[in-house]
Structures are given as structure tokens and as C-alpha cells.
Amino acid sequence: MTIEENKAVVARFYEELWNGRRLEVADEIFAPGCVTHQLRSGAPAASASRSPADVKEHVASWLAAFPDLRFEVEQTIAEGDLVMTSSVMRGTHAGAWMNVAPTNRAATIRMSVVQRIAGGRIVEDWVLVESLGFYQQLGLVPDSREIFARAAR
């Protein structure tokens, strides 16, 4: 596949699957044994295989918790079989998420994702989400100034 074709697969991930709420697109753009690597500061990458059905369940759970959720891709860089995106996800926490009752707070989450494409499908991805700011926006974690003030005591 060409770099442009790979970028088109990733564009479908954001525009059709997430923003378009077309969960069936996961069947077309994810390989059955896609491996996702969740990247976290100070911890080894948590890797897990996920099927298109797993992806649909994941997306559906986020959409249930953040019904107005939208992605905006700010940058796309591609080389060979890899496509990297820098994006912003915005939504209002109006439904339960990860056993957290709705806060009705708006949240903006920055993330970087690298996706490896083979045969027109996503076969592997590395996901880095700016979680601390997200948790702070929902009121689950104190503001950074408060965290530093506590640490200085």
C-alpha cells in the first residue's frame, strides 16, 4: 500500500468510526489480531490484542460516556507502513465512564497515536494519551498547582 492509502485508513478511523459513529467501520479497518500498546510515563507499555469487535465495544463505551465526543486531527505524518497522528478529543462527560458517574464537565484530551498498516488494515498501534489533564478536567485529580503545593509541604 502507498503512504496515501495508509493515511486514508487512519483518516477513516477518526472521521468514520469515531466522528461518524459508524462502528461497523472497525470491521473494515482493523485486523483481527491488532495489537495495541498503551503508553504511560514511568510504566512499561501495556500491550493487548484486540479484535474489530473489541474496538467497537471500546468506541461505544466512550460514546456512551461522552455523547458529543469529536476528534480533531491536528497533524498526520506517515512513512512506510506507519502513520502518526496528533489529535484532540473533545466531549462532555454525560454518562458513566470507567465506573465514574457523569460529571457533566467538558474535557479536552490530547493524544498521539502511531498506527501500523498492512493490507489496508490497522495491525498495530501505539497510543499515548495526556491522562493527567483529562482526569483533572473531570475533577478526579487535583489541579497541578495543588499537587505541587502539597508536595512542597
Side-chain angles (χ1 to χ4, degrees):
M1 294 193 60
T2 68
I3 287 174
E4 291 306 313
E5 289 170 326
N6 290 342
K7 287 167 60 176
V9 171
V10 172
R12 291 187 72 199
F13 170 75
Y14 290 106
E15 290 307 318
E16 294 180 36
L17 179 64
W18 283 98
N19 291 344
R21 278 108 169 103
R22 293 187 46 225
L23 301 184
E24 71 278 4
V25 169
D27 295 318
E28 300 170 19
I29 65 171
F30 276 89
C34 177
V35 176
T36 294
H37 309 277
Q38 291 289 335
L39 306 175
R40 295 181 186 97
S41 297
S47 302
S49 181
R50 61 183 188 162
S51 67
D54 295 329
V55 172
K56 289 189 277 190
E57 184 178 313
H58 174 77
V59 172
S61 71
W62 274 90
L63 294 175
F66 296 84
D68 61 346
L69 183 146
R70 299 274 310 159
F71 272 96
E72 177 187 346
V73 176
E74 296 181 324
Q75 297 179 64
T76 302
I77 302 169
E79 183 172 340
D81 61 354
L82 299 175
V83 179
M84 182 272 179
T85 53
S86 175
S87 63
V88 178
M89 185 176 86
R90 292 181 176 85
T92 306
H93 182 215
W97 175 79
M98 303 288 290
N99 295 321
V100 175
T103 62
N104 295 311
R105 293 181 181 201
T108 300
I109 309 165
R110 292 200 169 276
M111 60 185 64
S112 295
V113 179
V114 176
Q115 293 167 310
R116 186 167 66 85
I117 313 298
R121 293 178 180 228
I122 300 166
V123 295
E124 194 169 13
D125 54 11
W126 294 262
V127 182
L128 179 62
V129 178
E130 197 276 304
S131 299
L132 176 61
F134 172 51
Y135 299 155
Q136 289 173 328
Q137 291 171 68
L138 295 184
L140 304 175
V141 175
D143 180 84
S144 295
R145 291 174 298 217
E146 185 178 335
I147 291 170
F148 287 114
R150 288 181 187 177
R153 293 182 197 153

